[in-house]
Amino acid sequence: MEETEDKTFLEMAEDVGFPRKNAYKLKEVAYITGVAVNTLYEDARAGRIATFVPPGRERGRLVRPEWADEWLKAGKTEAVAWR
């Protein structure tokens, strides 16, 4: 079986029909990556995925695509280490 190149978060988003944006809601990141939203909230609280709350808001954490890429890469590295 041929190995394929890892897709970026933005490529994954486009594959499931999301437009390219500067930032995505945690629920959107969960949908795009197939990871439970609760896991994303836990990872955000633990500092494993970078998030921000837009100015003027008190809620609604957002993730930049490059931060999602870093989070995905770190998760794959950890998974390989556990093998």
Side-chain angles (χ1 to χ4, degrees):
M1 187 176 195
E2 255 182 69
E3 282 194 42
T4 59
E5 253 186 68
D6 292 331
K7 290 187 176 188
T8 66
F9 178 78
L10 285 175
E11 290 169 337
M12 293 169 67
E14 288 179 338
D15 285 350
V16 294
F18 279 82
R20 286 181 174 253
K21 301 192 294 187
N22 290 327
Y24 294 81
K25 297 175 186 177
L26 283 175
K27 286 183 180 183
E28 293 173 323
V29 175
Y31 184 85
I32 291 164
T33 61
V35 173
V37 71
N38 289 341
T39 300
L40 280 162
Y41 279 105
E42 288 174 15
D43 283 1
R45 281 192 293 275
R48 290 186 289 268
I49 186 168
T51 63
F52 72 99
V53 177
R57 287 186 172 177
E58 294 180 19
R59 301 174 58 188
R61 296 208 155 271
L62 300 177
V63 178
R64 295 190 185 280
E66 58 271 21
W67 298 345
D69 286 333
E70 291 169 8
W71 173 74
L72 288 166
K73 183 178 177 183
K76 287 179 184 174
T77 302
E78 287 178 22
V80 170
W82 281 97
R83 284 189 191 179

